[in-house]
Amino acid sequence: EVQLVESGGGLVQPGGSLRLSCAASGFTFSSYDMHWVRQATGKGLEWVSAIGTAGDPYYPGSVKGRFTISRENAKNSLYLQMNSLRAGDTAVYYCARVSYRSGGWYFDLWGRGTLVTVSS
Amino acid sequence: DIQMTQSPSSVSASVGDRVTITCRASQGISSWLAWYQQKPGKAPKLLIYAASSLQSGVPSRFSGSGSGTDFTLTISSLQPEDFATYYCQQANSFLTWTFGQGTKVEIK
């Protein structure tokens, strides 16, 4: 079955760290760019990070310098190391696969998400 | 960064109604736009890509149109399972990915 399964979420204090994992199965993981997208409760979707097939990372300004995305193709796994966490980072974090189609990049496979709560 | 603005933020409709949601980009993005459906507690699901291409397995009552800065998602005959929140996403820029704020389709 083609799927993504996230893990590693939980409760962390402000300033703390957490490492999320995403296990991929059913497709050739190494051939796809992979992303993390988050969603605060009752809010919209926010892109958090991306990693290309060659391991090149990309971040928005809101997490740059605090979050690090990485991948381990031999284990079909994606990771997100989150440091210096803030209350505003509280959200469900989704792992997502991106496919390039008709000139654009689209999120065509999503995991079920893992909840990160930053609170004292 | 390219900003995506959806309207309305919510719509109340009945089963069988035709529903149209619009998405406007702050600058031209050609046809590089996607629509996603999200039900409560679930991950988003890709419905439409490249503005008008239907993702495999998505019912034909969903359709998309538009190019440049203005786009629409239409549900031709609303079904009970279509009550959800819908997001647009610009796919024009490789280094940034942005979504609209969402449109909630509610039961009237």
Side-chain angles (χ1 to χ4, degrees):
Chain A
E1 182 184 1
V2 177
Q3 64 176 356
L4 299 169
V5 180
E6 301 92 338
S7 61
L11 175 64
V12 61
Q13 292 188 340
S17 299
L18 209 57
R19 189 194 195 208
L20 306 183
S21 299
C22 172
S25 58
F27 65 98
T28 306
F29 177 74
S30 60
S31 296
Y32 289 87
D33 295 346
M34 297 296 297
H35 294 239
W36 290 96
V37 177
R38 69 185 179 185
Q39 185 173 38
T41 301
K43 302 298 183 181
L45 301 164
E46 180 188 15
W47 171 66
V48 172
S49 62
I51 188 165
T53 55
D56 39 322
Y58 303 93
Y59 308 96
S62 58
V63 307
K64 198 168 188 176
R66 299 189 300 123
F67 289 10
T68 302
I69 188 172
S70 61
R71 65 190 301 161
E72 194 168 356
N73 291 336
K75 293 187 175 182
N76 291 330
S77 292
L78 178 72
Y79 306 102
L80 184 67
Q81 177 67 42
M82 303 185 295
N83 298 329
S84 303
L85 283 163
R86 309 164 179 167
D89 297 318
T90 295
V92 173
Y93 284 72
Y94 294 102
C95 169
R97 184 183 78 178
V98 158
S99 291
Y100 182 77
R101 305 181 186 185
S102 304
W105 289 264
Y106 304 101
F107 299 95
D108 68 345
L109 180 67
W110 298 68
R112 297 176 67 178
T114 187
L115 177 62
V116 172
T117 303
V118 183
S119 175
S120 55
Chain B
D1 290 357
I2 299 174
Q3 306 302 316
M4 308 301 292
T5 303
Q6 289 181 233
S7 61
S9 56
S10 67
V11 56
S12 294
S14 301
V15 172
D17 283 355
R18 181 182 183 90
V19 173
T20 298
I21 299 167
T22 65
C23 179
R24 175 164 288 177
S26 60
Q27 63 189 72
I29 58 171
S30 186
S31 296
W32 297 319
L33 182 107
W35 290 97
Y36 300 86
Q37 176 193 66
Q38 187 179 34
K39 296 181 179 179
K42 302 293 186 182
K45 172 188 171 184
L46 178 63
L47 298 177
I48 302 282
Y49 65 93
S52 60
S53 296
L54 201 64
Q55 171 71 345
S56 176
V58 173
S60 59
R61 62 181 179 273
F62 291 93
S63 64
S65 64
S67 66
T69 60
D70 294 309
F71 302 85
T72 60
L73 172 70
T74 299
I75 309 172
S76 60
S77 177
L78 198 66
Q79 298 302 300
E81 59 268 30
D82 300 337
F83 292 97
T85 300
Y86 294 84
Y87 294 92
C88 62
Q89 173 237 329
Q90 67 86 9
N92 178 65
S93 173
F94 178 71
L95 298 181
T96 59
W97 288 262
T98 49
F99 296 86
Q101 80 277 19
T103 295
K104 187 174 184 179
V105 177
E106 300 174 300
I107 300 171
K108 192 171 186 177

